[in-house]
Amino acid sequence: MRLLPIVGLTLMLVAACTGTSAPTSDDRVVTLVTHDSFVVTPERLEMFKNATGVTIKVLASGDAGELANKLVLTKENPIGDVVFGIDSTFASRVLRADVLAGYSSPEAKNGAHRYQLAPANLLHAVDVGDVCVNIDTARLADGAGPRTYEDLLDPKYRDMTVVEDPATSSPGLAFMLGTIANFGESGWLDYWAKLKANGVKVTSGWEEAYTQEFSGSSGKGPRPIVVSYASSPAAEIGDNGVPRTSALLDTCYRQVEYAGVLNGASNFEDAAKVVDFLLSEPFQSDVPEQMYVYPTRDGVALPDSWSKAAPLPAASRSLPGDAIDANRERWVEQWRAVVFG
């Protein structure tokens, strides 16, 4: 889900940047299973270890969809103790599979409760990251760019849009769900047929779409319209202090990422402390600049640039979790039939 993914992060995030030694067999270690885009300042982990005696071992396990699938497939022999990165598009699958142990974090009352799911003691909201269409404002200057889903169908934007495949990408799935929420069951496939006719390009994931195909970021690709995040423009501030990109806030779908203790955690009490840490002020204050998402904790200050470049959308679309769970596979197959058929 992230703006700055770190592929294959399966290391102990404790020693390299802090000068401390790696954990020994005598240390209390909690394995945090997460997505490939998890990033945290090593000093935050060292502070947690000093306060609790617990070392956090980070095990990256693909994107949000892969992460959810792995937890379900390994629930009889869990690969870790705590999970972070189950987002709202996959949460119902994980909840239904009974892979989580009940734990009510005292830190949840500080803001995470606003996004709680039923039952409330299984998953705790760590961050919010709205998926939205982004545009390269240099290529589409002076108000010439699109603003809505419908605008992307205008022939003047032919061959300008790149999106991610919802079968393989969390933001791609969120964008597809946003079109369903916007156009309804009766109209969303027709919308995608028209988007295909207008030259939309589909990539397997966010990194390819944003860093290779999109013209407004590092790859300087050919397409000035991309599906990314409301927070993405905060990473595209020019030397003049002006963002090079803009998120279209009328095209956003709300994603929330959750954490919880896994059934079979080797040490439940230490695993619970890690969940508390993910909801605590030290970790939450690290979230915006490390993972380019919005913290759920009340009172956590955002970087100054975010107020202009990356405001949290006031009214994002969403769908009920049970509706997503019941229809996700059918919707993705319908989408593939229209876009690739």
Side-chain angles (χ1 to χ4, degrees):
M1 165 180 182
R2 290 290 179 265
L3 199 66
L4 300 173
I6 296 182
V7 178
L9 180 63
T10 57
L11 50 104
M12 293 286 194
L13 286 175
V14 288
C17 297
T18 61
T20 60
S21 59
T24 70
S25 58
D26 296 327
D27 286 329
R28 290 149 54 198
V29 177
V30 170
T31 298
L32 174 64
V33 187
T34 184
H35 48 56
D36 288 345
S37 302
F38 177 82
V39 187
V40 61
T41 303
E43 287 78 8
R44 296 292 201 279
L45 296 181
E46 190 67 13
M47 289 170 55
F48 174 75
K49 180 180 178 181
N50 291 338
T52 64
V54 176
T55 295
I56 298 176
K57 176 184 177 182
V58 178
L59 177 62
S61 300
D63 68 12
E66 292 174 291
L67 174 61
N69 289 336
K70 285 181 181 179
L71 293 180
V72 173
L73 292 173
T74 62
K75 70 176 184 178
E76 301 301 329
N77 186 24
I79 57 177
D81 306 296
V82 176
V83 60
F84 163 68
I86 296 299
D87 71 27
S88 44
T89 61
F90 291 100
S92 57
R93 175 184 295 180
V94 174
L95 290 170
R96 190 182 65 227
D98 192 32
V99 303
L100 298 162
Y103 172 62
S104 296
S105 173
E107 297 289 341
K109 67 180 185 299
N110 297 310
H113 64 283
R114 291 173 295 178
Y115 306 100
Q116 71 182 26
L117 303 172
N121 67 334
L122 293 181
L123 287 174
H124 296 78
V126 174
D127 64 66
V128 177
D130 290 38
V131 172
C132 317
V133 174
N134 280 219
I135 64 171
D136 178 353
T137 51
R139 285 274 302 274
L140 301 170
D142 302 322
R147 295 181 181 274
T148 66
Y149 289 109
E150 291 86 352
D151 288 347
L152 300 181
L153 305 180
D154 192 314
K156 69 182 178 181
Y157 303 124
R158 183 180 302 277
D159 299 330
M160 291 189 181
T161 302
V162 57
V163 305
E164 301 88 358
D165 188 334
T168 55
S169 164
S170 177
L173 177 60
F175 182 67
M176 185 195 76
L177 295 176
T179 65
I180 295 170
N182 188 72
F183 296 104
E185 281 271 20
S186 63
W188 76 279
L189 289 173
D190 180 62
Y191 173 77
W192 277 98
K194 292 176 179 176
L195 198 60
K196 176 185 178 181
N198 208 33
V200 69
K201 180 169 185 175
V202 179
T203 68
S204 61
W206 175 89
E207 187 172 10
E208 181 183 353
Y210 194 86
T211 67
Q212 298 179 31
E213 293 294 333
F214 181 47
S215 63
S217 190
S218 57
K220 303 299 180 185
R223 294 179 178 246
I225 303 171
V226 65
V227 169
S228 192
Y229 296 92
S231 55
S232 297
E236 304 294 349
I237 306 290
D239 293 338
N240 60 358
V242 177
R244 295 179 288 264
T245 65
S246 177
L248 307 184
L249 300 187
D250 287 334
T251 65
C252 297
Y253 185 89
R254 173 69 38 98
Q255 275 188 313
V256 181
E257 286 193 317
Y258 295 90
V261 178
L262 293 172
N263 270 331
S266 57
N267 185 322
F268 181 89
E269 290 186 0
D270 285 347
K273 289 176 183 177
V274 173
V275 173
D276 294 344
F277 168 65
L278 296 174
L279 300 177
S280 71
E281 195 282 334
F283 183 85
Q284 290 279 298
S285 64
D286 205 40
V287 159
E289 294 201 274
Q290 296 302 318
M291 293 192 282
Y292 286 88
V293 285
Y294 308 90
T296 58
R297 189 179 179 94
D298 293 329
V300 175
L302 294 174
D304 291 341
S305 61
W306 284 44
S307 61
K308 178 180 179 181
L312 182 66
S316 288
R317 290 164 181 80
S318 64
L319 290 171
D322 55 354
I324 296 172
D325 195 47
N327 296 288
R328 182 193 299 107
E329 292 185 10
R330 174 176 65 86
W331 285 337
V332 170
E333 286 305 311
Q334 290 175 323
W335 179 91
R336 293 184 70 84
V338 169
V339 176
F340 294 142

